[in-house]
Amino acid sequence: MHGPGAGSSGWLLVALCTATGAYCLLRMRSRVEEQRLAAGGEALMGFGMAAMAVPAAVLAPPRWAWAVYAAVFGGAALRALWAARGSAHHLHHLVGALAMVYMAAMAATGTHAGIPVLTGGLLLYFTAYVLWTGTRLVPVAAGGPAEALGAPGWGDRLELARACRLSMGIGMLAMLLTL
């Protein structure tokens, strides 16, 4: 984020999140509807994280921009809450969007010091998520929903989707550590 000490690590986070967001846009071309729906939220999250991670020495957004980030991710949180009725995976999107609202609110106040209990809870959640997602990167067995429709395209590669989710989880951890 825009806290002190953001430099080359900030640029690495920008690159990681931008690449992840771009791949999620490719995933929106999937033939599997659930993949398309999840990919849209993940693309928003990736690009939003990239924008928030730009080092302040290069671009220090005005305070009102953080309110815009909070509003956009507040809307994403509401959408994820609505979508969670059909799939528990969207609960993760809800937590991620709320974490982005929280970080934007901290940046808007200019304190860059989060609420220790909330920050700690989010750090624990995303650490567990990263470890769990990392264990799931074992190659997917044939016969999944994408393979039933023929040869999987780039948007249907489940192992790449999991790698993107892992990347965004690691990025979220890095951003939360700056609070």
Side-chain angles (χ1 to χ4, degrees), residues 26-129:
L26 279 176
R27 286 183 41 230
M28 289 180 70
R29 297 175 49 204
S30 171
R31 294 173 280 189
V32 180
E33 182 179 5
E34 180 62 27
Q35 288 234 29
R36 284 192 310 269
L37 294 175
E42 291 167 358
L44 173 68
M45 186 67 67
F47 289 128
M49 289 171 62
M52 288 176 76
V54 173
V58 174
L59 175 68
R63 289 242 168 118
W64 60 264
W66 296 110
V68 171
Y69 284 136
V72 167
F73 284 103
L78 290 174
R79 184 185 181 287
L81 182 61
W82 182 258
R85 296 173 307 121
S87 171
H89 175 72
H90 293 286
L91 290 175
H92 171 69
H93 290 169
L94 175 64
V95 173
L98 290 174
M100 294 291 282
V101 169
Y102 170 61
M103 289 186 287
M106 292 298 104
T109 62
T111 61
H112 295 288
I115 302 165
V117 172
L118 183 54
T119 303
L122 288 170
L123 283 168
L124 286 174
Y125 172 81
F126 282 103
T127 299
Y129 181 79

Side-chain angles (χ1 to χ4, degrees), residues 127-148:
T127 299
Y129 181 79
V130 164
L131 292 173
W132 178 71
T133 304
T135 63
R136 297 184 68 212
L137 281 177
V138 176
V140 178
E147 299 225 2

